[in-house]
């Protein structure tokens, strides 16, 4: 790790060493990582990616870690969080947002500028990069509906790429970036509609209200644990299987939304994994449905 420390010092890139991941995740779960790099802009991120690839480090880029379950033993490698890369530049039709910009900030600030169309995504605790990677969505809309270009750093070929929305191969909670792991999202241009501020703000308020009614937002979680299986709602299946409120250690199947596992306090990754295994087994036995994870397990 010594040379990574030297690199960060030389390039003034903020880093935390041997740090617990739990506070950096929405689940509040996860052990230590040897290095968490926090670049402030796209140039610092690119420099760090170049250094890590050239020196053979195992690494991952994360956003707000709102879709991740880190193991209690932490992550074996270097993590780069984009959370300090928040720059936004606006024009009449939309915005160019750095990968770490919180999607909620983009949506709220767009509404203030009479821009919108994506207000129903308000409340998803994603960065722009994480939202594009996952093709995050809600209430019938997905991030892919608004992407015009994504700027990417190709860590294998060490060059920039500009991908059109078509080239991102978006589908339900998926994009080319889950296949091309070596392509790191630096920023994206989002194309927005003209929406009067007052109208836009009403949509944001209504959307937040719906989320508060449906989701267990009081407790830490990583959102929906499973992908929606064709023709079913996970929450309904879990409820019919009598698993609402089922506890394991500090983890619990939310009684408000059966698709969520929440951390009641002090949950470990193995508590969550135990509940996941139980839910999968029960749903398979009772309904012959194979549930697939939407959250990603990191170790
Ligand atoms: C309370 C709650 C509600 C939620 N509601 C929704 C919802 O309504 N709809 C929905 O779709 N999701 C929802 N989620 C899940 C989550 O917010 C989304 O999956 C989101 O897109 C993840 O973004 P992130 O920035 O946190 O990414 P992370 O969780 O940090 O990372 C997710 C993946 O993206 C990769 N990644 C992140 N940034 C980059 C980058 N710059 N370049 C390349 N790869 C990158 C990571 O390596 C990882 O594989 C919810 C989560 C919570 C906690």
């Amino acid at each position: 790790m010594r040379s990574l420390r030297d690199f960060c010092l030389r390039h003034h890139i903020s880093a935390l060493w041997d740090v617990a991941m739990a506070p950096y995740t929405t689940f509040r779960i996860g052990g230590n990582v040897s290095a968490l790099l926090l670049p402030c802009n796209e140039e610092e991120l690119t420099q760090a990616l170049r250094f890590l690839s050239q020196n053979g480090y195992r690494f991952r880029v994360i956003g707000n870690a709102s879709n991740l379950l880190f193991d209690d033993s932490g992550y074996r490698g270097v993590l780069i969080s984009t959370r300090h890369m928040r720059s936004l530049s606006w024009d009449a039709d939309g915005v160019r947002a750095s990968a770490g910009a919180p999607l909620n900030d983009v949506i709220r600030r767009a509404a203030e500028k009479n821009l919108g169309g994506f207000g129903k995504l308000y409340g998803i605790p994603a960065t722009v990069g994480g939202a594009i990677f996952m093709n995050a969505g809600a209430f019938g809309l997905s991030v892919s509906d608004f992407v015009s270009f994504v700027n990417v750093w190709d860590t294998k070929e060490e060059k920039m790429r500009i991908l059109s929305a078509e080239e991102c191969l978006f589908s339900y909670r998926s994009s080319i970036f889950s296949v091309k792991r070596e392509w790191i999202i630096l920023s994206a241009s989002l194309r927005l509609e003209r929406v009067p501020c007052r109208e836009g703000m009403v949509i944001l308020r209504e959307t937040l209200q719906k989320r508060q009614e449906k989701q267990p937002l009081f407790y830490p979680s990583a959102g929906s644990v499973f992908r929606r299986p064709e023709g079913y709602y996970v929450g309904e299946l879990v409820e019919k299987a009598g698993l609402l409120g089922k506890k394991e250690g500090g983890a619990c199947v939310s009684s408000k939304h059966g698709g969520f596992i929440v951390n009641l306090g002090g949950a470990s990754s193995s508590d969550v994994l135990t509940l996941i295994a139980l839910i999968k087994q029960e749903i398979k036995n009772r309904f012959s449905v194979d549930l697939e994870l939407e959250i990603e397990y990191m170790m």
Side-chain angles (χ1 to χ4, degrees), residues 26 60-68 82 99 123-127 129-131 133-138 173 181 183-186 211 215 217 221-224 260 294 296:
T26 57
R60 277 293 286 278
V61 175
I62 61 170
N64 193 36
S66 64
N67 200 50
L68 305 177
T82 60
I124 302 177
T127 59
F133 182 101
M134 290 300 297
N135 191 18
R173 302 295 170 267
R181 289 276 181 178
W183 289 0
I184 302 303
I185 300 160
L186 300 177
R211 279 185 176 274
Q215 298 185 345
L217 301 180
S221 79
S224 298
F260 280 53
E294 179 166 312
E296 209 179 322

Side-chain angles (χ1 to χ4, degrees), residues 29-101:
I29 294 174
N32 284 26
V33 60
S34 56
L36 175 65
L37 271 47
L38 295 153
C40 280
N41 53 44
E42 292 159 40
E43 196 190 328
E44 286 188 4
L45 173 58
T46 312
Q47 282 174 336
L49 291 169
R50 225 191 253 267
F51 177 85
L52 294 170
S53 320
Q54 287 174 358
N55 291 281
Y57 282 83
R58 180 178 191 253
F59 67 88
R60 277 293 286 278
V61 175
I62 61 170
N64 193 36
S66 64
N67 200 50
L68 305 177
L69 171 63
F70 278 94
D71 192 84
D72 300 323
S73 66
Y75 176 78
R76 285 177 298 106
V78 175
L79 291 174
I80 308 181
S81 167
T82 60
R83 62 177 60 218
H84 290 174
M85 295 170 43
R86 294 175 165 227
S87 95
L88 300 177
S89 53
W90 299 91
D91 63 31
D93 302 321
V95 61
R96 179 187 184 284
S98 275

Side-chain angles (χ1 to χ4, degrees), residues 21-238:
M21 279 311 293
Y24 294 92
T25 70
T26 57
F27 228 153
R28 299 286 183 263
I29 294 174
N32 284 26
V33 60
S34 56
L36 175 65
L37 271 47
L38 295 153
C40 280
N41 53 44
E42 292 159 40
E43 196 190 328
E44 286 188 4
L45 173 58
T46 312
Q47 282 174 336
L49 291 169
R50 225 191 253 267
F51 177 85
L52 294 170
S53 320
Q54 287 174 358
N55 291 281
Y57 282 83
R58 180 178 191 253
F59 67 88
R60 277 293 286 278
V61 175
I62 61 170
N64 193 36
S66 64
N67 200 50
L68 305 177
L69 171 63
F70 278 94
D71 192 84
D72 300 323
S73 66
Y75 176 78
R76 285 177 298 106
V78 175
L79 291 174
I80 308 181
S81 167
T82 60
R83 62 177 60 218
H84 290 174
M85 295 170 43
R86 294 175 165 227
S87 95
L88 300 177
S89 53
W90 299 91
D91 63 31
D93 302 321
V95 61
R96 179 187 184 284
S98 275
L103 185 64
N104 288 328
D105 282 3
V106 180
I107 295 172
R108 200 188 56 254
R109 291 182 59 184
E112 287 163 6
K113 291 174 187 295
N114 300 304
L115 289 170
F118 61 168
K120 288 184 176 170
L121 302 180
Y122 198 53
I124 302 177
T127 59
V128 166
I132 289 175
F133 182 101
M134 290 300 297
N135 191 18
F139 305 116
L141 288 186
S142 300
V143 164
S144 55
D145 298 327
F146 306 94
V147 169
S148 55
F149 292 102
V150 180
N151 297 302
V152 167
W153 177 253
D154 181 335
T155 54
K156 254 192 196 151
E157 297 196 12
E158 301 218 323
K159 64 175 192 186
M160 292 278 296
R161 291 176 181 275
I162 302 176
L163 267 61
S164 65
E166 291 70 35
E167 288 170 313
C168 291
L169 303 181
F170 288 117
S171 59
Y172 170 71
R173 302 295 170 267
S174 176
S175 70
I176 192 162
F177 303 104
S178 49
V179 181
K180 290 274 192 189
R181 289 276 181 178
E182 68 272 25
W183 289 0
I184 302 303
I185 300 160
L186 300 177
S187 65
S189 297
L190 307 180
R191 192 186 40 245
L192 304 174
E193 296 162 15
R194 303 295 303 170
V195 177
C197 176
R198 194 182 280 257
E199 217 175 279
M201 289 298 181
V202 170
I203 294 172
L204 305 201
R205 248 196 323 275
E206 287 175 354
T207 304
L208 270 196
Q209 204 173 331
K210 278 190 206 155
R211 279 185 176 274
Q212 279 157 4
E213 282 161 15
K214 289 184 175 180
Q215 298 185 345
L217 301 180
F218 183 72
Y219 292 106
S221 79
S224 298
V225 175
F226 302 102
R227 297 166 70 81
R228 195 166 69 221
E230 192 91 32
Y232 298 93
Y233 287 102
V234 176
E236 279 178 19
L237 295 178
V238 170

